[in-house]
PDB file of all heavy atoms in Angstrom:
ATOM      1  N   GLU Q  50     -21.707  18.801  29.628  1.00 74.00           N
ATOM      2  CA  GLU Q  50     -22.836  18.106  29.089  1.00 74.00           C
ATOM      3  C   GLU Q  50     -24.162  18.736  29.598  1.00 74.00           C
ATOM      4  O   GLU Q  50     -25.209  18.684  28.985  1.00 74.00           O
ATOM      5  CB  GLU Q  50     -22.812  16.609  29.582  1.00 74.00           C
ATOM      6  CG  GLU Q  50     -21.849  15.744  28.837  1.00 74.00           C
ATOM      7  CD  GLU Q  50     -21.713  14.440  29.357  1.00 74.00           C
ATOM      8  OE1 GLU Q  50     -22.283  14.125  30.517  1.00 74.00           O
ATOM      9  OE2 GLU Q  50     -21.020  13.540  28.761  1.00 74.00           O
ATOM     10  N   GLU Q  51     -24.104  19.356  30.756  1.00 77.00           N
ATOM     11  CA  GLU Q  51     -25.305  19.976  31.403  1.00 77.00           C
ATOM     12  C   GLU Q  51     -25.511  21.454  30.767  1.00 77.00           C
ATOM     13  O   GLU Q  51     -26.213  22.230  31.338  1.00 77.00           O
ATOM     14  CB  GLU Q  51     -25.127  19.996  32.857  1.00 77.00           C
ATOM     15  CG  GLU Q  51     -25.234  18.596  33.436  1.00 77.00           C
ATOM     16  CD  GLU Q  51     -24.946  18.567  34.938  1.00 77.00           C
ATOM     17  OE1 GLU Q  51     -24.612  19.684  35.555  1.00 77.00           O
ATOM     18  OE2 GLU Q  51     -25.094  17.528  35.505  1.00 77.00           O
ATOM     19  N   GLY Q  52     -24.729  21.771  29.699  1.00 74.00           N
ATOM     20  CA  GLY Q  52     -24.941  23.053  29.106  1.00 74.00           C
ATOM     21  C   GLY Q  52     -23.966  24.073  29.448  1.00 74.00           C
ATOM     22  O   GLY Q  52     -24.061  25.214  28.960  1.00 74.00           O
ATOM     23  N   GLY Q  53     -22.998  23.782  30.238  1.00 70.00           N
ATOM     24  CA  GLY Q  53     -21.944  24.765  30.573  1.00 70.00           C
ATOM     25  C   GLY Q  53     -20.997  24.868  29.447  1.00 70.00           C
ATOM     26  O   GLY Q  53     -21.031  24.134  28.474  1.00 70.00           O
ATOM     27  N   TRP Q  54     -20.117  25.849  29.577  1.00 67.00           N
ATOM     28  CA  TRP Q  54     -19.154  26.069  28.531  1.00 67.00           C
ATOM     29  C   TRP Q  54     -18.013  25.091  28.630  1.00 67.00           C
ATOM     30  O   TRP Q  54     -17.815  24.468  29.752  1.00 67.00           O
ATOM     31  CB  TRP Q  54     -18.637  27.511  28.584  1.00 67.00           C
ATOM     32  CG  TRP Q  54     -18.040  27.841  29.839  1.00 67.00           C
ATOM     33  CD1 TRP Q  54     -18.784  28.229  31.045  1.00 67.00           C
ATOM     34  CD2 TRP Q  54     -16.718  27.842  30.297  1.00 67.00           C
ATOM     35  NE1 TRP Q  54     -17.830  28.502  32.020  1.00 67.00           N
ATOM     36  CE2 TRP Q  54     -16.606  28.282  31.602  1.00 67.00           C
ATOM     37  CE3 TRP Q  54     -15.484  27.636  29.579  1.00 67.00           C
ATOM     38  CZ2 TRP Q  54     -15.363  28.360  32.283  1.00 67.00           C
ATOM     39  CZ3 TRP Q  54     -14.330  27.711  30.225  1.00 67.00           C
ATOM     40  CH2 TRP Q  54     -14.228  28.064  31.554  1.00 67.00           C
ATOM     41  N   SER Q  55     -17.210  24.853  27.561  1.00 64.00           N
ATOM     42  CA  SER Q  55     -16.105  23.865  27.546  1.00 64.00           C
ATOM     43  C   SER Q  55     -14.950  24.485  28.395  1.00 64.00           C
ATOM     44  O   SER Q  55     -14.336  25.427  27.955  1.00 64.00           O
ATOM     45  CB  SER Q  55     -15.716  23.679  26.145  1.00 64.00           C
ATOM     46  OG  SER Q  55     -14.596  22.724  26.094  1.00 64.00           O
ATOM     47  N   PRO Q  56     -14.724  23.931  29.507  1.00 66.00           N
ATOM     48  CA  PRO Q  56     -13.636  24.543  30.319  1.00 66.00           C
ATOM     49  C   PRO Q  56     -12.290  24.207  29.726  1.00 66.00           C
ATOM     50  O   PRO Q  56     -12.139  23.320  28.845  1.00 66.00           O
ATOM     51  CB  PRO Q  56     -13.803  23.756  31.703  1.00 66.00           C
ATOM     52  CG  PRO Q  56     -14.610  22.515  31.369  1.00 66.00           C
ATOM     53  CD  PRO Q  56     -15.417  22.836  30.176  1.00 66.00           C
ATOM     54  N   TYR Q  57     -11.273  24.862  30.255  1.00 71.00           N
ATOM     55  CA  TYR Q  57      -9.935  24.741  29.717  1.00 71.00           C
ATOM     56  C   TYR Q  57      -9.413  23.296  29.697  1.00 71.00           C
ATOM     57  O   TYR Q  57      -8.774  22.920  28.820  1.00 71.00           O
ATOM     58  CB  TYR Q  57      -8.996  25.635  30.526  1.00 71.00           C
ATOM     59  CG  TYR Q  57      -7.536  25.589  30.113  1.00 71.00           C
ATOM     60  CD1 TYR Q  57      -7.106  26.072  28.809  1.00 71.00           C
ATOM     61  CD2 TYR Q  57      -6.648  24.875  30.841  1.00 71.00           C
ATOM     62  CE1 TYR Q  57      -5.765  25.917  28.445  1.00 71.00           C
ATOM     63  CE2 TYR Q  57      -5.313  24.695  30.487  1.00 71.00           C
ATOM     64  CZ  TYR Q  57      -4.881  25.238  29.286  1.00 71.00           C
ATOM     65  OH  TYR Q  57      -3.591  25.053  28.910  1.00 71.00           O
ATOM     66  N   ASP Q  58      -9.767  22.556  30.810  1.00 69.00           N
ATOM     67  CA  ASP Q  58      -9.276  21.200  30.854  1.00 69.00           C
ATOM     68  C   ASP Q  58      -9.728  20.393  29.751  1.00 69.00           C
ATOM     69  O   ASP Q  58      -9.027  19.554  29.216  1.00 69.00           O
ATOM     70  CB  ASP Q  58      -9.740  20.538  32.220  1.00 69.00           C
ATOM     71  CG  ASP Q  58      -9.107  21.142  33.373  1.00 69.00           C
ATOM     72  OD1 ASP Q  58      -8.009  21.761  33.196  1.00 69.00           O
ATOM     73  OD2 ASP Q  58      -9.619  20.978  34.513  1.00 69.00           O
ATOM     74  N   VAL Q  59     -11.038  20.532  29.361  1.00 73.00           N
ATOM     75  CA  VAL Q  59     -11.540  19.765  28.180  1.00 73.00           C
ATOM     76  C   VAL Q  59     -10.898  20.161  26.873  1.00 73.00           C
ATOM     77  O   VAL Q  59     -10.533  19.380  26.091  1.00 73.00           O
ATOM     78  CB  VAL Q  59     -13.102  19.930  28.104  1.00 73.00           C
ATOM     79  CG1 VAL Q  59     -13.609  19.198  26.950  1.00 73.00           C
ATOM     80  CG2 VAL Q  59     -13.671  19.381  29.435  1.00 73.00           C
ATOM     81  N   GLN Q  60     -10.719  21.508  26.719  1.00 76.00           N
ATOM     82  CA  GLN Q  60     -10.090  21.959  25.516  1.00 76.00           C
ATOM     83  C   GLN Q  60      -8.634  21.432  25.415  1.00 76.00           C
ATOM     84  O   GLN Q  60      -8.084  21.118  24.395  1.00 76.00           O
ATOM     85  CB  GLN Q  60     -10.094  23.446  25.448  1.00 76.00           C
ATOM     86  CG  GLN Q  60     -11.377  24.115  25.240  1.00 76.00           C
ATOM     87  CD  GLN Q  60     -11.326  25.610  25.274  1.00 76.00           C
ATOM     88  OE1 GLN Q  60     -10.334  26.198  25.682  1.00 76.00           O
ATOM     89  NE2 GLN Q  60     -12.500  26.194  24.916  1.00 76.00           N
ATOM     90  N   LYS Q  61      -7.950  21.374  26.549  1.00 81.00           N
ATOM     91  CA  LYS Q  61      -6.607  20.883  26.556  1.00 81.00           C
ATOM     92  C   LYS Q  61      -6.537  19.357  26.115  1.00 81.00           C
ATOM     93  O   LYS Q  61      -5.693  18.959  25.374  1.00 81.00           O
ATOM     94  CB  LYS Q  61      -5.991  21.013  28.052  1.00 81.00           C
ATOM     95  CG  LYS Q  61      -4.600  20.667  28.163  1.00 81.00           C
ATOM     96  CD  LYS Q  61      -4.040  21.010  29.505  1.00 81.00           C
ATOM     97  CE  LYS Q  61      -4.548  19.978  30.521  1.00 81.00           C
ATOM     98  NZ  LYS Q  61      -3.943  20.097  31.847  1.00 81.00           N
ATOM     99  N   ILE Q  62      -7.469  18.572  26.604  1.00 80.00           N
ATOM    100  CA  ILE Q  62      -7.564  17.174  26.152  1.00 80.00           C
ATOM    101  C   ILE Q  62      -7.784  17.037  24.696  1.00 80.00           C
ATOM    102  O   ILE Q  62      -7.122  16.317  24.003  1.00 80.00           O
ATOM    103  CB  ILE Q  62      -8.649  16.467  27.029  1.00 80.00           C
ATOM    104  CG1 ILE Q  62      -8.232  16.350  28.493  1.00 80.00           C
ATOM    105  CG2 ILE Q  62      -8.941  15.049  26.469  1.00 80.00           C
ATOM    106  CD1 ILE Q  62      -9.425  15.832  29.399  1.00 80.00           C
ATOM    107  N   GLU Q  63      -8.772  17.891  24.228  1.00 79.00           N
ATOM    108  CA  GLU Q  63      -9.158  17.860  22.791  1.00 79.00           C
ATOM    109  C   GLU Q  63      -7.807  18.195  21.941  1.00 79.00           C
ATOM    110  O   GLU Q  63      -7.535  17.428  20.984  1.00 79.00           O
ATOM    111  CB  GLU Q  63     -10.204  18.853  22.493  1.00 79.00           C
ATOM    112  CG  GLU Q  63     -11.508  18.383  22.949  1.00 79.00           C
ATOM    113  CD  GLU Q  63     -12.593  19.425  22.786  1.00 79.00           C
ATOM    114  OE1 GLU Q  63     -12.345  20.547  22.374  1.00 79.00           O
ATOM    115  OE2 GLU Q  63     -13.851  19.133  22.973  1.00 79.00           O
TER     116      GLU Q  63
END
Side-chain angles (χ1 to χ4, degrees):
E50 287 174 349
E51 293 174 353
W54 56 279
S55 178
Y57 175 73
D58 289 341
V59 176
Q60 289 176 354
K61 185 172 77 173
I62 292 170
E63 289 173 350

